[in-house]
Amino acid sequence: MNVPLSKPYVSQEMKTRVLEVIDSGQYILGKNCKEFEKEFAQYVGTKHSVLTSSGTAALFLCLKALGVGPGDAVLVPSLTAFPTVEPVYHVGANPVFIDIDQTFTMDPGHIEKVLKERSKDPKAGKVKGIIPVHLYGHPANMDAILDIAKRYGLFVLEDCCQAHGARYKGKRVGSMGVAGCFSFYPSKNLTVFGDGGNLVTSDDKISQYCRMLRDHGRKEKYEHELVGYNLRFNEIQAVVGRLQLQKLDWFNDSRRQVARWYAEGLKGLPVVTPAAEDWAEAVFHLYVIQTSQRNELADYLKGKGVQTGIHYPIPNHLQPGVVNTSGAQPQLERTEEAVRKILSLPIYPELEKEKVDYVCASVGEFFSRG
Ligand SMILES: Cc1ncc(COP(=O)(O)O)c(C=O)c1O
């Protein structure tokens, strides 16, 4: 049996609508983009959304809009996709890496500790904000993070790239910070058959600024208020995104069902299954288990036709690009321990119970070999 790590959902209706858009002759920031932006903002519960060419572009535009620049510092988790960190460098600022809690998201206790230490260091760059990442689809501890941000006068920019539709105490991720950024990369909970992204906000100024900046700083067709970029979105992908959005709750319910099957099937085996907080409605972008025999288990599963992943094998504070740019980094114990043990098992909305049972049985076989 072959079980892929992830698989995007494709329907006949999506293919038909893509062909209609091709025939329409309108390809960039047209009617479907406008409607998708409205529908997405409504879904998250924000006033605006601005489609972008990727999640990375969405984060970059937000940081520009928030006035982050050279000499500034932004708090980011180390355990996240590298593109959470890149835009911080791209605006000329420096990331300050934060350790994780039991949910693999930013540890508020460590944020507070780092801020206290930096307040005693006159040479430390000014911390402007925090980027919590709702990693693997599990919301970060937002009340604690928002409280710290308020006390220190910092913005909170949510990285929701792995958490479309997740809720924290009933609120959708992306609606709690000053803005939230999403990715539509093919493995994500909502995909558009290529790269794509979106930023959501209820702040009129951020929305207007990002909207202009993503399209060459345009106010009118040939009037450029700002020197901007081309970080736009397109009609073919927007029509797909709109149809995917209609199914997002179903996708997430299915992912949660797969997670329950795994929790049941892995019971009693020497692996740690994902922690879920009471306040979280997670959307299981990834299903990440932990074992000290991670590499051996991954090899064994590969031999059984089961694709797995490691998200992520090198924490960002130890990435060569970071160390070369920002110098030696402090130790982040929980993150460094996690990256040695984490293993992502296959998960996607259409994953059948039979396949989940097969993966669990294969994990069981691995541990029962003498
Ligand atoms: C947590 C996180 N942040 C940012 C990104 C960047 O998104 P994109 O690949 O669309 O640029 C991703 C996706 O890879 C991600 O998983």
Side-chain angles (χ1 to χ4, degrees), residues 54-56 59 80-81 83-84 133 159 161-162 183-185 188 196 312:
S54 68
T56 314
L59 285 162
T80 178
T84 303
V133 180
D159 181 335
C161 289
Q162 299 191 1
S183 164
F184 301 141
Y185 182 80
K188 303 299 190 207
Y312 297 86

Side-chain angles (χ1 to χ4, degrees), residues 75-79 96-102 104-111 113-114 145 315 317 330-338:
L75 306 190
V76 290
S78 176
L79 187 66
V96 176
F97 293 102
I98 300 295
D99 216 342
I100 48 170
D101 65 14
Q102 68 290 352
F104 297 114
T105 64
M106 256 181 166
D107 173 10
H110 191 228
I111 298 180
K113 184 167 171 259
V114 166
I145 293 171
H317 68 291
Q331 236 187 326
L332 301 178
E333 275 167 29
R334 294 185 86 157
T335 300
E336 287 170 36
E337 193 193 338

